[in-house]
Amino acid sequence: MTIQQGATTIGPVTTAADLQMRAQAVAAIAAAHADSVDSEGRFPSEAREAMRTHRLLGAAIPIELGGEGASIRALADVCYTLGRACASTAMIFAMHQTKVACLVRHGRGEPWQDGVMRRIAHDQLLMASSTTEGNNGGNVRASVAAVEVDDAGVRLDRAATVISYGAEADGVVTVARRAVDAASSDQVLCVFLKEDYTLERLSGWETLGMRGTCSSGFRLLAHGGGEQVLKARYAEIHGQTMTPVSHILWSSAWTGIAAAAVEKAQAFTRTAMRGAGGVAPPGAVHYGRAVSGLKQARALIGQSLDRYEAASGDPAALSAMDFQTAITMLKVEVSELAVTTVMSAMRANGLAGYRQDGAFTVGRHLRDVLSAPIMIHNDRIVANLVTATLMAPVAASLRD
């Protein structure tokens, strides 16, 4: 497809506080529809429109391309805020911003990619993620489908186990083998806009939680120009950008879900104590554990943000084993913490938390957060880490 390459558009300079204020406005709308999104298993269209209205979708696009140049720290705060309101909305925002981050770091300066980023900022396009195929068991480091080159450009025929919010997106960022004769691990990242592809539904999305992400399976049939394949190797994109950004933003969304559950446990405990003349209810100990779990998750995210910001300008630092180990384990540790935190909140609330109705229900939060250790399975992540570190020396002292 052709994208007009006009003069550079300078977007508004924003602050983290301004972005957070807009995120809170979106969260209020998302929260009002979160129950129906969950019960009906539908896409959170109201929240998506609010994100467009408040211009959240292009926040991380560079200022010179019409965006706001928002930092990953500011985006993580948005994910946390949205997670407290609607888990599906938060996860959609996190996945979209991960794809935007890949474009910004690895496509910036290329005319077509710059044009896409201008459109994301100007039109508030929503970009979907497609990294999982039906034949690879969820292994994002190996692809079956390959990019095919013809006289008109490139083609891709890909059977995707899931394409998160694929039917609702304005474009898709997908991984594929570099060529038909390339190894499964020789991958590239491709960017297609809605006019470039068709989707044939292969499976539905009837899940326990995160129902609003509408991550059905599709056959993706795409055709575009060769410039729509990023020049950078996918291994580089995955290690330097996709993994750290996704793990930080996902973790922030899950921690937001946990925070909403802790808030309900706090309200229940206060109410119970008032009714019992100041005597704590039996489940109060679980409320304490929930508070502790939330603080631990927030601390882990803060440490990872510090580490990522310190390394972000240095590809070697981003690729270093210590960084990769820490950022990989962030997803594992926060996902497990988020689940135990929400479970503690439910136990604090007792039957009132277990019920699906009432002011103190934690049912939706628990069902949503249970996806955290399963989405890109923690066991696979740890197994990959084990393989990567087998030949690395073990530190001889705390100073090493």
Side-chain angles (χ1 to χ4, degrees), residues 1 6 37 100 105 109 124 133 140 143 146 149 188 206 240 250 272 284:
M1 64 158 291
V37 165
V100 168
R105 179 181 288 276
Q124 294 293 295
E133 285 178 283
V140 298
S143 292
V149 180
V188 291
E206 185 61 35
Q240 295 181 13
W250 290 346

Side-chain angles (χ1 to χ4, degrees), residues 178-397:
R178 183 177 297 277
V180 292
D181 57 351
S184 61
S185 59
D186 184 6
Q187 298 166 286
V188 291
L189 200 67
C190 311
V191 184
F192 298 107
L193 296 180
K194 202 159 192 174
E195 55 265 39
D196 300 326
Y197 61 85
T198 59
L199 296 174
E200 297 178 6
R201 189 179 296 273
L202 300 176
S203 60
W205 184 247
E206 185 61 35
T207 52
L208 189 65
M210 287 291 180
R211 291 166 55 77
T213 63
C214 297
S215 301
S216 299
F218 293 97
R219 181 185 180 192
L220 172 68
L221 295 164
H223 187 199
E227 65 276 9
Q228 292 175 241
V229 179
L230 271 65
K231 293 180 178 179
R233 293 170 55 248
Y234 178 69
E236 174 185 317
I237 297 171
H238 185 271
Q240 295 181 13
T241 307
M242 190 174 293
T243 294
V245 172
S246 64
H247 286 196
I248 288 170
L249 298 187
W250 290 346
S251 295
S252 300
W254 297 326
T255 304
I257 299 169
V262 169
E263 188 172 40
K264 290 201 171 192
Q266 182 187 66
F268 175 84
T269 303
R270 286 176 173 174
T271 300
M273 289 181 69
R274 283 196 298 268
V279 177
V285 64
H286 296 293
Y287 166 64
R289 289 171 181 161
V291 169
S292 177
L294 179 60
K295 288 182 177 179
Q296 290 178 61
R298 287 170 56 94
L300 286 169
I301 294 168
Q303 292 165 12
S304 294
L305 281 166
D306 291 342
R307 187 185 288 263
Y308 181 68
E309 288 174 340
S312 61
D314 183 356
L318 289 170
S319 301
M321 182 60 69
D322 282 355
F323 175 81
Q324 287 294 314
T325 299
I327 206 69
T328 295
M329 289 307 296
L330 171 71
K331 188 270 181 187
V332 174
E333 292 169 350
V334 172
S335 65
E336 300 287 355
L337 267 173
V339 171
T340 58
T341 298
V342 177
M343 191 66 217
S344 292
M346 177 173 281
R347 294 185 70 180
N349 290 12
L351 183 60
Y354 184 70
R355 290 176 62 102
Q356 287 284 75
D357 57 357
F360 304 117
T361 177
V362 187
R364 172 166 55 84
H365 304 82
L366 182 60
R367 288 186 290 102
D368 285 334
V369 84
L370 284 172
S371 70
I374 295 171
M375 187 182 68
I376 311 298
H377 206 291
N378 282 357
D379 291 348
R380 180 185 294 280
I381 290 174
V382 175
N384 288 337
L385 185 61
V386 168
T387 302
T389 57
L390 274 175
M391 302 306 295
V394 177
S397 74

